[in-house]
Amino acid sequence: MVKITIYIEGGVPSSEESFLDNSVVFRENFHQLFVQKLPQNSFDLAIQPIGQISQAAKYLEKINTQNINGILLIDLDGPKSIKAERLKNNYASEPSKVFFMIQEMEGWIISQPEKIEEYARANAFIFKRTETVRNNSLIFGIHPEEIVKPGDRLDTIFRQHFALEKRHKGTLKTKPKNYVKSKDGPALIGLLDLDNLFEVFDEVQNLINHVQAI
């Protein structure tokens, strides 16, 4: 069985975890996503959050110096056209072990808008629109890789489509539901279909093919 560690931007590194953080959920949901193509009878898969992007180079060095079967998965924070430059400027020591969520993790989520609605129903959000998320003009007809700052756009979609009821001083009030990256993001990742991501994002294909070849 092949042991592989995927170090992912976000969450809180394990050495800094406390009962207050959401890193367990982060690891579980990314694991749930990747075992769809990296089954547990073939791969001993570990998910390790690394926190901020500023820590990425440190973890890549750890992979190299400690001879770990590992890869780095981080936000590209830009269009796919800047990928080669990012690798050259920041990760030249081992570019083959660095993979990107394009343009951010939320691009993956936006690529499957029906999962956003599934998540909303499961969490009893109020649906404010009859229009589906898929047909929202912010994403309709746009390839997910072309969406600039998809996290901001997903937050707008959440506030446009969903609301929560909150009781304040005895009065029940409705307020728009914001997208919370640390809470909603990992939960949505766990709902995604990896085959669909594989079809939409070349970088997902590259990542899975790399791991399967180890």
Side-chain angles (χ1 to χ4, degrees):
M1 182 180 295
V2 177
K3 183 172 183 178
I4 180 79
T5 302
I6 304 180
Y7 295 90
I8 305 178
E9 178 183 349
V12 178
S14 58
S15 61
E16 302 173 18
E17 286 182 13
S18 74
F19 67 93
L20 295 175
D21 70 60
N22 211 33
S23 289
V24 172
V25 175
F26 182 99
R27 290 198 306 270
E28 287 177 348
N29 281 281
F30 268 99
H31 189 275
Q32 183 172 313
L33 174 68
F34 285 120
V35 295
Q36 293 175 36
K37 281 191 173 291
L38 305 172
Q40 296 181 72
N41 61 344
S42 300
F43 295 90
D44 180 7
L45 180 64
I47 302 297
Q48 173 63 63
I50 67 170
Q52 299 296 318
I53 185 66
S54 59
Q55 300 300 306
K58 180 183 81 173
Y59 279 91
L60 183 59
E61 182 181 4
K62 178 179 178 178
I63 290 170
N64 293 333
T65 58
Q66 297 184 21
N67 218 15
I68 296 170
N69 267 342
I71 61 173
L72 192 63
L73 179 60
I74 56 179
D75 289 344
L76 183 58
D77 294 318
K80 189 160 60 174
S81 60
I82 72 167
K83 174 186 168 181
E85 181 182 0
R86 281 284 304 280
L87 288 171
K88 179 181 177 181
N89 292 341
N90 299 281
Y91 311 107
S93 64
E94 195 65 76
S96 66
K97 295 181 180 178
V98 181
F99 297 88
F100 295 102
M101 295 177 279
I102 303 174
Q103 297 188 17
E104 298 172 335
M105 177 186 75
E106 285 79 11
W108 289 12
I109 296 168
I110 284 173
S111 75
Q112 297 180 29
E114 69 282 358
K115 299 298 184 180
I116 300 172
E117 294 181 343
E118 179 183 333
Y119 177 70
R121 286 190 291 270
N123 287 276
F125 297 166
I126 297 168
F127 280 63
K128 297 165 62 177
R129 294 184 172 191
T130 57
E131 174 195 51
T132 63
V133 170
R134 178 176 295 279
N135 289 325
N136 189 297
S137 61
L138 291 173
I139 61 173
F140 182 76
I142 307 172
H143 193 285
E145 290 183 337
E146 301 301 319
I147 295 176
V148 178
K149 294 189 179 300
D152 291 349
R153 199 159 299 196
L154 185 56
D155 181 52
T156 300
I157 288 170
F158 261 62
R159 289 186 285 105
Q160 287 178 345
H161 284 263
F162 311 122
L164 294 173
E165 283 188 337
K166 299 267 187 174
R167 187 169 294 279
H168 180 67
K169 295 182 179 179
T171 302
L172 199 61
K173 294 186 177 181
T174 300
K175 59 178 295 185
K177 168 67 177 94
N178 289 88
Y179 167 72
V180 181
K181 186 180 183 77
S182 61
K183 179 182 178 183
D184 300 316
L188 282 159
I189 285 292
L191 295 176
L192 298 182
D193 184 290
L194 189 55
D195 281 326
N196 287 345
L197 290 181
F198 202 80
E199 293 175 5
V200 174
F201 297 95
D202 292 345
E203 193 74 345
V204 174
Q205 296 181 29
N206 295 338
L207 185 156
I208 297 298
N209 290 340
H210 175 88
V211 174
Q212 290 176 334
I214 292 176

